[in-house]
Amino acid sequence: MALGVQRFMAGRYGQDTLSRHTVWLALIVCILSMFFWRLPLFIVYMLLLFWAFFRTFSRNIPKRRRELAVYQKFTGRISRFFRLQKNKRRDRKTHRYFKCRCGASLRVPKGKGEIVLHCPVCHATLHKKT
Ligand SMILES: [Zn+2]
């Protein structure tokens, strides 16, 4: 990196996953705007780009970190959901999945009849049929 750019970026937040994903989303919106809703989508595209650049050059690092944490919490939930769906498909012949009231997912072998489950997260007891 050139010294001028380095000096300019000193004390600024820089790139993170959220700003990179925002730029990707902006590019998708830009391509879509070529086909329909030209002006509204173009405005969305500009706003997304502006937001990504604003975050990158921001000096309010704690606030940008909090935004990233919120984003990662959200994307983590989504990827956990899809991982669970994938595992359920993989284990559909051998295991059953139950959801505890605390939100934890419990996997038990199939064909064991009436069973008592103990949630490892909240220690609740569930009576289920496998
Ligand atoms: Zn639980």
Side-chain angles (χ1 to χ4, degrees):
M1 214 189 297
L3 193 63
V5 177
Q6 232 168 31
R7 196 166 291 156
F8 176 73
M9 286 308 289
R12 292 178 197 268
Y13 183 66
Q15 277 197 336
D16 65 7
T17 332
L18 177 55
S19 59
R20 271 191 296 274
H21 289 179
T22 307
V23 171
W24 277 111
L25 181 65
L27 286 176
I28 292 167
V29 170
C30 177
I31 291 166
L32 288 177
S33 76
M34 292 172 191
F35 300 106
F36 52 90
W37 300 335
R38 285 168 187 257
L39 188 62
L41 282 184
F42 185 73
I43 292 167
V44 170
Y45 161 69
M46 293 305 285
L47 289 174
L48 285 170
L49 266 194
F50 174 80
W51 191 55
F53 277 93
F54 165 78
R55 289 191 74 253
T56 301
F57 299 125
S58 169
R59 290 182 189 276
N60 191 348
I61 292 169
K63 195 168 179 194
R64 302 289 86 81
R65 286 205 177 127
R66 279 198 299 276
E67 289 168 355
L68 178 66
V70 169
Y71 178 68
Q72 284 173 332
K73 200 175 165 192
F74 174 71
T75 52
R77 230 176 254 166
I78 292 172
S79 57
R80 266 196 305 279
F81 172 80
F82 282 109
R83 202 178 316 130
L84 180 65
Q85 299 311 310
K86 191 179 135 214
N87 290 346
K88 276 183 180 176
R89 253 196 323 276
R90 184 195 62 203
D91 301 339
R92 70 188 177 279
K93 285 181 180 156
T94 54
H95 293 80
R96 280 200 68 176
Y97 283 79
F98 295 107
K99 199 163 185 122
C100 177
R101 59 173 167 258
C102 73
S105 187
L106 308 172
R107 189 181 81 131
V108 290
K110 266 188 173 177
K112 302 283 176 196
E114 295 270 347
I115 55 163
V116 178
L117 296 170
H118 298 282
C119 175
V121 179
C122 69
H123 306 290
T125 307
L126 291 94
H127 295 267
K128 295 284 179 187
K129 217 179 152 218
T130 59

